[in-house]
Amino acid sequence: MCQKELTMNTDQNLIYSILRNLLGNSLENLQTEKAIVSLKWFENHDSVHLEVKNNGIDMNPSPRKKFLKIKTSTAQKELRVEGGSGIGLSLVYEFVHKLGGDIAISSSGKGTKFSVIFPKIA
């Protein structure tokens, strides 16, 4: 839950696509009915941060690195083995960078976290 209104000058449709894909990916990797997906927004003086985190299946390191280079059919096949096509994450990567932002993925042994940083003015 946001404590206050966050403001940034950006493309609303790209933000919706990024959110839809990250939330969808997090929901797909849940294992039990008690699983949790959290969404957190916060801002610094010149950027807005988004974290989407779940306590489901960890994303393995190999596909996690390859999603950045999803343009190859080999990388797409390896991500398919993990249960998805990888296209959604590829779009997220492209959209985040189109908006001048950056994305990181981490797994802790208890789920996966997507961290995105957007400039306030894209």
Side-chain angles (χ1 to χ4, degrees), residues 97-119:
H97 284 88
K98 184 174 184 172
L99 296 174
D102 201 9
I103 183 168
I105 302 173
S106 59
S107 293
S108 63
K110 296 180 181 179
T112 301
K113 178 170 80 172
F114 298 92
S115 302
V116 185
I117 299 173
F118 298 102

CSV table of all heavy atoms in Angstrom, one decimal, residues 97-119:
chain,number,residue,atom,x,y,z
A,97,HIS,N,13.6,-0.4,-19.9
A,97,HIS,CA,14.7,0.4,-20.5
A,97,HIS,C,14.2,1.5,-21.5
A,97,HIS,O,14.8,2.5,-21.6
A,97,HIS,CB,15.7,-0.6,-21.2
A,97,HIS,CG,16.5,-1.3,-20.2
A,97,HIS,ND1,16.1,-2.5,-19.6
A,97,HIS,CD2,17.7,-0.9,-19.6
A,97,HIS,CE1,17.0,-2.8,-18.7
A,97,HIS,NE2,18.0,-1.9,-18.6
A,98,LYS,N,13.1,1.2,-22.1
A,98,LYS,CA,12.5,2.3,-23.0
A,98,LYS,C,12.1,3.5,-22.2
A,98,LYS,O,12.2,4.6,-22.6
A,98,LYS,CB,11.3,1.8,-23.7
A,98,LYS,CG,10.7,2.7,-24.7
A,98,LYS,CD,9.6,2.1,-25.6
A,98,LYS,CE,9.2,3.1,-26.6
A,98,LYS,NZ,8.2,2.5,-27.5
A,99,LEU,N,11.7,3.3,-20.9
A,99,LEU,CA,11.4,4.4,-20.0
A,99,LEU,C,12.6,4.9,-19.3
A,99,LEU,O,12.4,5.8,-18.4
A,99,LEU,CB,10.3,3.9,-19.0
A,99,LEU,CG,9.0,3.5,-19.6
A,99,LEU,CD1,8.1,2.9,-18.5
A,99,LEU,CD2,8.3,4.7,-20.3
A,100,GLY,N,13.8,4.5,-19.6
A,100,GLY,CA,15.0,5.0,-19.0
A,100,GLY,C,15.3,4.4,-17.6
A,100,GLY,O,16.1,4.9,-16.8
A,101,GLY,N,14.6,3.2,-17.3
A,101,GLY,CA,14.8,2.6,-16.0
A,101,GLY,C,15.7,1.4,-16.1
A,101,GLY,O,16.4,1.2,-17.1
A,102,ASP,N,15.8,0.7,-15.0
A,102,ASP,CA,16.6,-0.5,-14.8
A,102,ASP,C,15.8,-1.5,-14.0
A,102,ASP,O,15.0,-1.2,-13.2
A,102,ASP,CB,17.9,-0.2,-14.2
A,102,ASP,CG,19.0,-1.2,-14.5
A,102,ASP,OD1,18.8,-2.1,-15.3
A,102,ASP,OD2,20.1,-1.1,-13.9
A,103,ILE,N,16.2,-2.8,-14.2
A,103,ILE,CA,15.5,-3.9,-13.5
A,103,ILE,C,16.5,-4.9,-13.0
A,103,ILE,O,17.5,-5.1,-13.7
A,103,ILE,CB,14.4,-4.6,-14.4
A,103,ILE,CG1,13.7,-5.7,-13.7
A,103,ILE,CG2,15.1,-5.1,-15.7
A,103,ILE,CD1,12.5,-6.2,-14.4
A,104,ALA,N,16.2,-5.5,-11.9
A,104,ALA,CA,17.1,-6.6,-11.3
A,104,ALA,C,16.1,-7.7,-10.8
A,104,ALA,O,15.0,-7.4,-10.3
A,104,ALA,CB,17.9,-6.0,-10.2
A,105,ILE,N,16.6,-8.9,-10.9
A,105,ILE,CA,15.9,-10.0,-10.4
A,105,ILE,C,16.8,-10.8,-9.3
A,105,ILE,O,17.9,-11.0,-9.6
A,105,ILE,CB,15.5,-11.0,-11.5
A,105,ILE,CG1,14.7,-10.3,-12.6
A,105,ILE,CG2,14.7,-12.2,-11.0
A,105,ILE,CD1,14.5,-11.2,-13.8
A,106,SER,N,16.2,-11.1,-8.2
A,106,SER,CA,16.9,-11.8,-7.2
A,106,SER,C,16.0,-12.9,-6.6
A,106,SER,O,14.8,-12.8,-6.6
A,106,SER,CB,17.4,-10.9,-6.1
A,106,SER,OG,16.3,-10.3,-5.5
A,107,SER,N,16.7,-14.0,-6.2
A,107,SER,CA,16.0,-15.1,-5.6
A,107,SER,C,16.7,-15.4,-4.3
A,107,SER,O,17.9,-15.5,-4.2
A,107,SER,CB,16.0,-16.4,-6.5
A,107,SER,OG,15.2,-16.2,-7.6
A,108,SER,N,15.9,-15.6,-3.2
A,108,SER,CA,16.5,-15.8,-1.9
A,108,SER,C,16.4,-17.2,-1.4
A,108,SER,O,16.8,-17.4,-0.2
A,108,SER,CB,15.8,-14.9,-0.9
A,108,SER,OG,14.4,-15.2,-0.8
A,109,GLY,N,15.9,-18.1,-2.1
A,109,GLY,CA,15.6,-19.5,-1.6
A,109,GLY,C,14.2,-19.6,-1.1
A,109,GLY,O,13.7,-20.6,-0.8
A,110,LYS,N,13.5,-18.4,-1.1
A,110,LYS,CA,12.1,-18.4,-0.6
A,110,LYS,C,11.3,-17.5,-1.6
A,110,LYS,O,10.5,-16.7,-1.1
A,110,LYS,CB,12.0,-17.8,0.8
A,110,LYS,CG,12.7,-18.7,1.8
A,110,LYS,CD,12.6,-18.1,3.2
A,110,LYS,CE,13.3,-19.0,4.2
A,110,LYS,NZ,13.2,-18.5,5.6
A,111,GLY,N,11.6,-17.6,-2.8
A,111,GLY,CA,10.8,-16.8,-3.8
A,111,GLY,C,11.7,-15.9,-4.7
A,111,GLY,O,12.9,-16.0,-4.6
A,112,THR,N,11.0,-15.1,-5.4
A,112,THR,CA,11.7,-14.2,-6.4
A,112,THR,C,11.3,-12.8,-6.2
A,112,THR,O,10.1,-12.5,-5.9
A,112,THR,CB,11.4,-14.7,-7.8
A,112,THR,OG1,11.9,-16.0,-8.0
A,112,THR,CG2,12.1,-13.8,-8.9
A,113,LYS,N,12.2,-11.8,-6.4
A,113,LYS,CA,11.9,-10.4,-6.2
A,113,LYS,C,12.4,-9.7,-7.5
A,113,LYS,O,13.5,-9.9,-8.0
A,113,LYS,CB,12.6,-9.8,-5.0
A,113,LYS,CG,12.3,-8.3,-4.9
A,113,LYS,CD,12.8,-7.7,-3.6
A,113,LYS,CE,14.3,-7.5,-3.6
A,113,LYS,NZ,14.8,-6.7,-2.4
A,114,PHE,N,11.5,-8.9,-8.1
A,114,PHE,CA,11.8,-8.1,-9.2
A,114,PHE,C,11.9,-6.6,-8.7
A,114,PHE,O,10.9,-6.1,-8.1
A,114,PHE,CB,10.6,-8.1,-10.3
A,114,PHE,CG,10.5,-9.5,-10.9
A,114,PHE,CD1,9.6,-10.4,-10.3
A,114,PHE,CD2,11.2,-9.9,-12.0
A,114,PHE,CE1,9.4,-11.7,-10.9
A,114,PHE,CE2,11.0,-11.1,-12.5
A,114,PHE,CZ,10.1,-12.0,-12.0
A,115,SER,N,13.0,-6.0,-8.9
A,115,SER,CA,13.2,-4.6,-8.5
A,115,SER,C,13.4,-3.7,-9.7
A,115,SER,O,14.3,-4.0,-10.5
A,115,SER,CB,14.4,-4.5,-7.6
A,115,SER,OG,14.3,-5.3,-6.5
A,116,VAL,N,12.5,-2.7,-9.8
A,116,VAL,CA,12.6,-1.8,-11.0
A,116,VAL,C,12.7,-0.4,-10.5
A,116,VAL,O,12.1,0.0,-9.5
A,116,VAL,CB,11.3,-1.9,-11.8
A,116,VAL,CG1,11.4,-1.1,-13.1
A,116,VAL,CG2,10.9,-3.4,-12.2
A,117,ILE,N,13.6,0.4,-11.2
A,117,ILE,CA,13.8,1.8,-10.8
A,117,ILE,C,13.5,2.6,-12.1
A,117,ILE,O,14.0,2.3,-13.2
A,117,ILE,CB,15.3,2.0,-10.5
A,117,ILE,CG1,15.7,1.2,-9.2
A,117,ILE,CG2,15.5,3.5,-10.2
A,117,ILE,CD1,17.1,1.3,-8.9
A,118,PHE,N,12.6,3.5,-11.9
A,118,PHE,CA,12.2,4.4,-13.0
A,118,PHE,C,12.6,5.8,-12.7
A,118,PHE,O,12.5,6.3,-11.5
A,118,PHE,CB,10.6,4.5,-13.1
A,118,PHE,CG,10.0,3.2,-13.5
A,118,PHE,CD1,9.3,2.4,-12.5
A,118,PHE,CD2,10.0,2.7,-14.8
A,118,PHE,CE1,8.7,1.2,-12.8
A,118,PHE,CE2,9.4,1.5,-15.1
A,118,PHE,CZ,8.7,0.8,-14.1
A,119,PRO,N,13.1,6.6,-13.7
A,119,PRO,CA,13.3,8.0,-13.4
A,119,PRO,C,11.9,8.7,-13.3
A,119,PRO,O,10.9,8.3,-13.9
A,119,PRO,CB,14.0,8.5,-14.7
A,119,PRO,CG,13.6,7.5,-15.7
A,119,PRO,CD,13.4,6.2,-15.0
